Amino acid sequence: MTAVITGAPAASVPVDRAPRRPRSARWAWLLRLASVAVAIGLWQLLTVADVRWWLRFDTLPTVDEVFTTLVRRLGTEAYWLDLAQSLIRILTGFGLAAAAGLATGILLGRSRVAADVVGPLTELVRPIPAIAVVPVAILLFPAGEQGIVFITFLAAYFPILVSTRHAVRALPTLWEDSVRTLGGGRWDVLSQVVFPGILPSLFGGLSVGMGVSWICVISAEMISGRLGIGYRTWQAYTVLAYPDVFVGIITIGVLGFATSATVELVGRRLTRWLPRGAENGR
């Protein structure tokens, strides 16, 4: 005999609560701009008041001094030459790293032999900071420019490699089996299963790689460069031109934000077929 329990209280469902409306894009941008404006205002307030409590804001230049220096630097040819030189280095190194990291990641993810032969070497080199390889790059390459590009390449290569390898290994085998059952070959599996399946993780690795590349290219320019934003920022520090130092810092931040945002925008456009990608792209 089966006992049936009746009369259990039903879960209360609120019917008077209105659905939460999505935040508008205009409001989101206003909020972002407001946060930046508050940070700048706080910087101006602390430096003008010569606040010296735990942190020494009295030694930092004010917002007015940095802005005046930025306007002056924007009118010089050297500023744009440094900016172009850093962009050429970052785009060259990052582009090479994206191609090599994608190819190596797919190879390690799909070939057990390659994972056994190349995998241990990549895992031994990956924990080494790219900036620690600057002395090796100076000895290895005849020109300092090639060494800086190599450091940039090395910084972006491993995040892209690791994200691609994990994405390939996480693909369901059922997808590949379905393509092969329908008569597809190796290229069909790569073009219809592997490439579309790894795109979300790949662009995550590309975004991380771009950020790390900027850190390392600026550091390499400070150590062994002759042109570039990092070199000019370090030169300004050696002569105690602190407003110029902050101009370099701001320039680096803006360029890093712009390049990373470009990578993420391209990623959202290429993964619009994902439900989450479609929502974020609005």
Side-chain angles (χ1 to χ4, degrees), residues 240-256:
L240 305 181
Y242 295 121
D244 289 274
V245 172
F246 276 85
V247 168
I249 293 173
I250 293 172
T251 304
I252 295 167
V254 171
L255 290 177

Side-chain angles (χ1 to χ4, degrees), residues 158-172:
F158 288 106
I160 299 172
L161 163 67
V162 172
S163 63
T164 304
R165 183 186 63 191
H166 288 328
V168 171
R169 292 178 177 176
L171 291 175

